[in-house]
């Protein structure tokens, strides 16, 4: 009887403790201890019990267990495994894990004879890419929610002693608690969220994002017009791993499912797992050379369609990158009705390292959730013209709207970040830091509707002006959404000549970016180094104001212009100009060259001309910054500019009738694993007889500073052409060579190579115009230039090579002149340096 009772009691206890399904419920979240980012697909389980769970895309897990245990573990490849005590028998527990990143550790690798079994699966991915890749779709669109956060991280004890940190100590303590016992402190400085729609057209390729509502909080955020377009996220973080290279920040990272997957990665095939109803192969991938621009991580591939269902790809500090601790992209894809897969959720993280010891780093986190996909239903082409559209009431606060608009509710950390920003942004010391940062990044000091600057042009020192001082300003959208005013005044302490510029523009349409304006200026310029030749390189233009200042002349100019984007990517600009040329160097030209030495000469001229310019930049996208727009394109498709000018003699004082045509093409492109190249092709032709400065003076460089658009071994104004064609080619091997050299590879140097070729000539009529008249003995000016002609059968050629990324910012190049070695007093070899900031 006692035996039966004991057996019955034991059976009852078994049923109570071990067979009550769902009796023990454990919930929690697994995050990166360093940056707080969720870790999707981490393994969570009870120690000693063969039951567990995996985290979802938000890093959250729910574990229902019929077994009782006293500890719980969390693990993921690339992180240290963590074990935590739990309360045995408790029905409901909340347990969070913060995992410390570590080196790649494979617990066990089984090597079989023959081919790696992962290779067969990867070939299936490549074979089925055409039907799974979103590029097969003629168009798609979806509703999108985006959240972005900018934090200060890597906070040292020394940094905590600074005044700004002491002023927010109370708020920091709250954030330290939410980071968890194993987490590192991060301080949010900006957080935003937006809802809208994203549209894509494949042919011709167009992107458009509409922002319905934005909710922005940030330290120092004053004008939301620019930020409200950036918070959408799909324009900048719409990554496609089916492409051979995934590009961001001007770099190209080889995809683990790209064409050269076998040459870049090592693969480890794991178990099959269920991902949202899809049975998937789980596969780890490691770079063969960690210093190359490649990823490491995990991906999940559907066993039937061989589609990429989810990927977790990271770039760590070992890669040949600057200022980066870590980059991570996590993406979850969803199959559409057409069979192609679109990104349902994406996380992007970039962790910037501390610039100096004792400082802090920066952390950018972005989360994008997409739903309600519509495919192969394109809109009319004009619908995509405006890349970004922001609703007029997008930034108006509406708490009720956000309760239902978010795809997922805000986390506790998000709510705490918002509260911390509110308490910090009005501190005086914080506002001072913000104003300094604005000045450094934009070059302008903002005063509500007027901005003063740019500061890089405020002072210069040269032999003609002495100390040059300049004060400039511009209005922004707070002043007026359509009227734009710009101007500056300046003078030199040596010449004491006042210089000035005034400009007024009117913005008719943002959709076609239609602008008209008037401008008048009087200033000192340099032959071949004028703003219209240098372009938008304001930093280089400011440098040309320093030093010997050869080839200088005073110019008075008036301009009326009109510009509009006729067709997406095609912009037309027309203008009418009048300019004077009053040289400060030995310069004369013959008024009647056919008379030879008997001709009268003149040392100045006036020109009046009309210009029509066409610029074609296919797929170029912009964001609006008030009444300015900023390009997001990386020029990976040729940008072509065609310009025609016609001069009018006798109209507004013009001295010449002439015609001039110029063509310019610029492109940057990838050459597989060999790195990235860029070229600039230019050509010009004028059939008219003109003084040398009105022809095509080729840009030489007699300094030790490298300038991409100049010929590094050519002297200033050494050659002038009335017809020419040139190509300037540069290639950066992106560490391909140095990454494989012991010891040197730790320096993260990058080998670069260049080559420039120029063909040109001058007709005899133009040579006669300048012959024997540029060396007058009574001239008060010391410098003079030959303005010689190139031999039409002999190109000017030079080659260069060097090292980029020295101390992360310096580039040193050597150039060799290959032709015209006996022309004048040439520099056959020149060593040059430049400052080059890049990731």
């Amino acid at each position: 009887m006692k035996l039966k009772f004991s057996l019955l009691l034991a059976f009852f206890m078994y049923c109570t403790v071990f067979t009550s399904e769902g009796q023990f419920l454990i919930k929690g979240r697994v995050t990166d201890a360093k940056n707080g980012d969720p870790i999707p697909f981490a393994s969570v389980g009870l120690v000693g019990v063969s039951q567990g769970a995996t985290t979802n895309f938000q890093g959250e897990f729910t574990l229902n267990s019929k077994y009782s245990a006293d500890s719980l573990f969390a693990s993921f490849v690339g992180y240290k495994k963590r074990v935590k005590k739990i309360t045995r028998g408790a029905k409901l527990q909340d347990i969070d894990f913060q995992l410390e990143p570590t080196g790649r550790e494979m617990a066990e690798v089984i090597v079989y004879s023959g081919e790696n079994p992962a290779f067969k699966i990867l070939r299936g991915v490549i074979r089925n890419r055409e039907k799974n890749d979103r590029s097969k779709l003629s168009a798609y669109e979806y509703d999108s929610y985006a959240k972005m956060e900018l934090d200060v991280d890597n906070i040292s004890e020394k940094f905590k002693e600074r005044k700004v940190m002491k002023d927010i100590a109370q708020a920091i303590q709250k954030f330290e608690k939410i980071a968890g016992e194993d987490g590192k402190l991060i301080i949010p400085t900006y957080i935003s969220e937006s809802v809208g729609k994203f549209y894509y057209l494949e042919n011709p390729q167009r992107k458009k994002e509409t922002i319905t509502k934005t909710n922005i909080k940030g330290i120092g955020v004053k004008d939301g017009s620019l930020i409200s377009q950036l918070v959408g996220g799909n324009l900048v973080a719409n990554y496609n791993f089916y492409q051979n290279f995934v590009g961001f920040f001007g770099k190209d990272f080889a995809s683990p499912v790209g064409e050269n997957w076998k040459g870049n990665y090592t693969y480890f095939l794991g178990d099959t797992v269920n991902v949202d109803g899809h049975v998937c192969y789980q596969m780890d991938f490691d770079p063969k050379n960690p210093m190359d621009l490649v990823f490491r991580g995990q991906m999940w591939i559907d066993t039937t369609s061989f589609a990429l269902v989810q990927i977790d790809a990271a770039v760590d500090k070992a890669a040949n990158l600057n200022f980066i601790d870590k980059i991570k992209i996590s993406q979850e894809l969803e199959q559409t009705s057409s069979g192609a897969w679109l990104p349902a959720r994406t996380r992007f993280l970039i962790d910037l390292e501390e610039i100096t010891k004792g400082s802090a780093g920066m952390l950018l986190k972005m989360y994008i959730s997409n739903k309600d996909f519509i495919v192969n239903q394109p809109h009319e082409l004009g619908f995509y013209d405006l890349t970004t559209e922001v609703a007029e009431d997008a930034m108006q606060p509406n708490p009720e709207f956000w309760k239902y608009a978010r795809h997922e509710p805000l986390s506790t950390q998000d709510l705490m970040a918002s509260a911390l920003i509110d308490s910090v942004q009005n501190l005086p010391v914080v506002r001072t830091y913000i104003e300094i940062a604005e000045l450094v990044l934009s070059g302008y000091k903002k005063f509500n509707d007027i901005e003063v600057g740019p500061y890089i042009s405020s002072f210069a020192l040269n032999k003609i002006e002495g100390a040059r001082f300049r004060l400039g300003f511009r209005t922004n959208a707070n002043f007026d959404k359509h009227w734009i005013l710009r101007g500056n005044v300046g003078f030199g302490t040596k010449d004491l000549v006042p210089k000035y510029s005034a400009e007024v523009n009117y913005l008719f349409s943002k959709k076609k970016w239609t602008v008209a304006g008037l401008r008048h200026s009087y200033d000192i310029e340099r032959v071949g180094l004028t703003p219209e030749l240098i372009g938008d390189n304001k930093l280089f233009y400011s440098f040309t104001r320093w030093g010997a200042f050869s080839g200088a002349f005073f110019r008075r100019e008036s301009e009326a212009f009109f510009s509009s984007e006729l067709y997406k990517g095609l912009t037309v600009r027309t203008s009418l100009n009048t300019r004077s040329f009053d040289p400060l160097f030995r310069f004369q030209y013959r008024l009647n060259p056919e008379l030879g030495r008997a001709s009268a000469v003149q040392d100045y001229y006036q020109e009046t001309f009309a210009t029509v310019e066409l610029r074609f930049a296919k797929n170029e996208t912009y964001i609006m910054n008030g009444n300015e727009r900023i390009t997001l394109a990386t020029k990976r498709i040729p940008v072509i500019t065609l310009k025609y000018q016609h001069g009018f003699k006798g109209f507004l004082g013009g001295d010449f009738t002439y015609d001039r045509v110029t063509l310019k093409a610029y492109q940057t492109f990838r050459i597989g694993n060999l790195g990235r190249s860029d070229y600039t092709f230019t050509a010009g032709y004028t059939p008219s007889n003109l003084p040398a400065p009105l022809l095509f003076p080729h840009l030489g460089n007699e300094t030790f500073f490298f300038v991409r658009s100049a010929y590094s071994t050519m002297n200033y104004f050494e050659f002038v052409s009335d017809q020419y064609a040139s190509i300037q080619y540069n290639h950066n091997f992106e560490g391909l060579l140095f990454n494989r050299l012991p010891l040197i590879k730790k320096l993260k140097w990058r080998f670069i190579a260049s080559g420039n070729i120029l063909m040109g000539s001058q007709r005899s009529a133009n040579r006669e115009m300048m012959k024997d008249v540029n060396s007058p003995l009574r001239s008060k000016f010391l410098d003079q230039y030959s303005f010689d002609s190139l031999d039409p059968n002999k190109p000017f050629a030079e080659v260069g090579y060097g090292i980029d990324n020295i101390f992360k910012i310096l580039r040193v190049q050597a150039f060799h002149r290959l032709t015209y070695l006996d022309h004048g007093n040439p520099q056959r070899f020149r060593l040059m340096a430049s400052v080059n900031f890049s990731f």
Side-chain angles (χ1 to χ4, degrees), residues 107 116 137 154 157 265 547 596 646 663 718 754 806 810:
N116 185 335
L137 301 172
N154 294 333
E157 293 301 321
Y265 292 98
H646 179 76
L663 174 68
E718 184 179 354
S754 303
I806 301 172
L810 293 179

Side-chain angles (χ1 to χ4, degrees), residues 159-176:
F159 190 81
K160 289 181 181 180
E161 295 300 317
R162 297 187 177 182
K163 186 179 187 306
V164 63
M165 297 295 289
K166 292 181 178 179
D167 289 341
I168 59 174
Q170 187 174 0
I172 288 176
Q173 289 175 2
K174 294 179 181 179
F175 232 75
E176 283 181 317

Side-chain angles (χ1 to χ4, degrees), residues 30 32 106 156 419 520 532 601 747:
V30 181
D32 188 309
M106 303 302 297
S156 64
H520 179 72
E532 63 269 16
V601 296
L747 300 174

Side-chain angles (χ1 to χ4, degrees), residues 704-717:
F704 292 104
F705 299 99
F706 171 72
V707 178
R708 184 181 293 265
S709 58
Y711 297 94
S712 298
T713 58
M714 184 185 293
N715 294 328
Y716 287 133
F717 326 119

Side-chain angles (χ1 to χ4, degrees), residues 560-581:
F561 75 90
F562 175 84
S563 176
S564 183
E565 191 173 38
L566 297 181
Y567 174 81
K568 182 67 175 178
L570 178 63
T571 300
V572 60
R573 187 182 192 276
T574 61
S575 64
L576 178 65
N577 295 66
T578 176
R579 290 176 181 167
S580 64
F581 181 81

